[in-house]
Amino acid sequence: MQSSFIPLMVPDLRDEDIESVVNVLKSGMLVQGKNVEELERKTASYLGCKHAVAVSNGTATMHICLKILGIGPGDEVIVPAFSYVATANVVELVGAKPVFVDIDQHSFNIDSRKIEALINKNTKAIIPVHEFGLAADMDAILVIAEKYSLYVIEDAACALGAKEIDRFVGTRGLFGSFSFHPRKAITSGEGGVITTNDDELARKCRIIRNHGIEILNGKMEFVDAGFNYRMTEMQAALVLSQFSRIESILETRNGLANIYYRELKNQSKLILPCIPSNKKHTFQTFHILLDQNINRDQFIDKLGVKGVGSNYGAQCIPDQVFYRNKYNLDSNKLFPNAYRAYKQGLALPLYEKLSEKDIMHVSSVVKELLHD
Ligand SMILES: *Cc1c(COP(=O)(O)O)cnc(C)c1O
């Protein structure tokens, strides 16, 4: 791989994964059948939660949760200022207002100490994000949620398998939300899963993902105005096949991340991601911060010229065109850590197909450019 271009991410799809999709195609049952059911059982048993509901993507998971909770116009939802933009978009999509909180500069996760000051009588929910595969500070967030009776929807889109002490993320809030987009550790192409321990909420999720359909007395009834957010059998089979390797995938990713730590430590012009000792990082993204004096976009271009794919890690959401136009917030001033992570952050290649030599090569190119 070393002589050619090293992309930021390539899913590790094996022959058996591909074969499982072909088998679905041959079966004739293409949407929400036994593979979807199996994926839901597998997810719930892996995470140790009561219910898992598979849907068409990670954004749909959160849209469904907000919809079911009746969150809408006049309501406010607390979200981190730094995440993938979908975390705030879903709040907009139900007509509620996202209220942004700055992140902690070391973990890239919502700064739980800054949440309480933003809560008012309109606040209905908090969506903490386990950014890049590192658990957010759930103990503190759950205490605040309890105190003010707020719903907690964990955006664990990029954090399947991440743990805080021995608890998986996505199992402590009212809902957990996961994505199987190709940028995540295991993929269905597009896909997502909602997790919850609440029977009634799980039932509502199933109804609303499928046109509002519920089977009552053996008869199909349309009991709600639902979405079509179903997952296909091809998607479910593809991700199920990788799911059986999840522990080894996460171990491989951690091993590769460790090589980055070894190769890039003690560089004065960059900051490496932190791993608190009580948390298990899944390194969906290996995200570093470049010194303020380095032009990050040029750095990405230069890496590209040298055969290394990279990108910024996530957005400072209030600084994106839609949010800037609508709320006119000065992100640099109000959310300095989120703004800096957005402007100076850099995601480096990390996936199972890379070797130790590949990571050493990427690291040496990064170091060379740092000293340019
Ligand atoms: C990937 C991601 C999403 C969106 O998931 P999709 O499956 O692409 O809709 C939302 N939030 C975070 C934090 C993500 O990383």
Side-chain angles (χ1 to χ4, degrees):
M1 217 166 194
Q2 199 158 311
S3 56
S4 58
F5 191 81
I6 298 181
L8 178 61
M9 175 66 181
V10 182
D12 179 30
L13 296 183
R14 310 209 171 152
D15 288 347
E16 72 246 35
D17 306 333
I18 293 162
E19 206 174 304
S20 71
V21 177
V22 173
N23 288 340
V24 167
L25 292 170
K26 288 177 180 165
S27 80
M29 175 67 193
L30 303 188
V31 176
Q32 202 170 283
K34 66 182 193 332
N35 284 283
V36 167
E37 279 172 23
E38 171 84 28
L39 174 63
E40 292 177 340
R41 272 196 301 273
K42 176 101 194 161
T43 309
S45 87
Y46 173 71
L47 295 174
C49 64
K50 211 162 167 196
H51 302 281
V53 181
V55 299
S56 48
N57 58 69
T59 307
T61 63
M62 294 187 282
H63 193 195
I64 288 175
C65 296
L66 292 171
K67 198 85 185 161
I68 283 175
L69 295 173
I71 291 173
D75 296 335
E76 297 186 1
V77 177
I78 295 201
V79 300
F82 181 72
S83 175
Y84 188 60
V85 73
T87 311
N89 285 351
V90 290
V91 178
E92 292 287 341
L93 286 171
V94 296
K97 180 185 173 191
V99 173
F100 299 102
V101 179
D102 201 10
I103 55 164
D104 172 80
Q105 61 174 327
H106 301 291
S107 67
F108 304 118
N109 280 326
I110 191 165
D111 187 338
S112 54
R113 295 164 304 181
K114 294 183 179 158
I115 293 176
E116 223 168 332
L118 296 167
I119 294 173
N120 62 46
K121 64 178 187 347
N122 298 322
T123 313
K124 291 286 153 33
I126 308 176
I127 308 183
V129 179
H130 306 296
E131 195 58 59
F132 304 137
L134 179 69
D137 211 352
M138 287 305 292
D139 285 339
I141 292 164
L142 290 170
V143 166
I144 296 167
E146 171 100 305
K147 184 168 165 190
Y148 296 94
S149 301
L150 306 176
Y151 303 121
V152 175
I153 301 164
E154 295 180 61
D155 182 350
C158 54
L160 181 67
K163 283 181 178 171
E164 194 180 15
I165 310 181
D166 56 355
R167 271 179 303 213
F168 281 114
V169 303
T171 58
R172 299 182 67 194
L174 189 57
F175 289 112
S177 151
F178 294 88
S179 165
F180 298 124
H181 181 269
R183 276 282 282 121
K184 322 298 181 188
I186 58 174
T187 183
S188 54
E190 296 282 5
V193 151
I194 305 165
T195 51
T196 184
N197 289 312
D198 186 300
D199 299 343
E200 183 56 16
L201 290 175
R203 188 186 132 253
K204 288 183 173 169
C205 287
R206 292 178 191 287
I207 292 170
I208 206 167
R209 80 168 156 182
N210 188 20
H211 300 290
I213 294 171
E214 186 172 30
I215 308 294
L216 295 173
N217 303 320
K219 193 162 167 266
M220 193 172 96
E221 301 283 0
F222 296 90
V223 301
D224 201 349
F227 302 115
N228 174 2
Y229 276 164
R230 289 179 306 234
M231 181 185 264
T232 68
E233 284 286 285
M234 292 79 86
Q235 291 168 320
L238 185 63
V239 72
L240 252 180
S241 179
Q242 297 155 68
F243 216 140
S244 53
R245 308 194 291 273
I246 183 104
E247 284 307 317
S248 93
I249 288 171
L250 297 180
E251 210 171 290
T252 304
R253 297 179 79 92
N254 260 269
L256 294 170
N258 282 336
I259 300 165
Y260 273 132
Y261 280 104
R262 186 187 76 204
E263 296 297 313
L264 294 174
K265 68 173 186 237
N266 302 330
Q267 294 293 317
S268 59
K269 291 182 181 170
L270 64 80
I271 299 173
L272 295 172
C274 79
I275 331 176
S277 59
N278 64 340
K279 292 180 184 177
K280 182 185 155 200
H281 205 312
T282 57
F283 291 104
Q284 180 262 343
T285 292
F286 193 86
H287 186 256
I288 64 175
L289 272 188
L290 298 173
D291 188 89
Q292 298 284 17
N293 299 322
I294 297 173
N295 182 313
R296 193 271 323 271
D297 291 340
Q298 279 175 16
F299 201 89
I300 290 174
D301 291 343
K302 287 183 196 166
L303 280 171
V305 169
K306 292 193 176 285
V308 174
S310 65
N311 205 345
Y312 67 91
Q315 291 87 33
C316 176
I317 303 174
D319 197 49
Q320 305 310 304
V321 174
F322 171 81
Y323 292 95
R324 257 198 339 248
N325 290 342
K326 185 161 182 180
Y327 298 107
N328 193 25
L329 300 171
D330 182 353
S331 294
N332 192 10
K333 219 163 126 194
L334 293 169
F335 320 108
N337 296 331
Y339 191 74
R340 180 168 175 224
Y342 172 53
K343 292 288 181 190
Q344 298 304 115
L346 185 72
L348 294 176
L350 192 126
Y351 42 95
E352 302 80 78
K353 284 180 174 171
L354 292 177
S355 64
E356 174 164 6
K357 264 174 86 178
D358 292 324
I359 303 284
M360 288 172 69
H361 173 69
V362 172
S363 302
S364 73
V365 173
V366 168
K367 282 188 279 191
E368 189 187 319
L369 291 177
L370 285 177
H371 298 122
D372 247 9

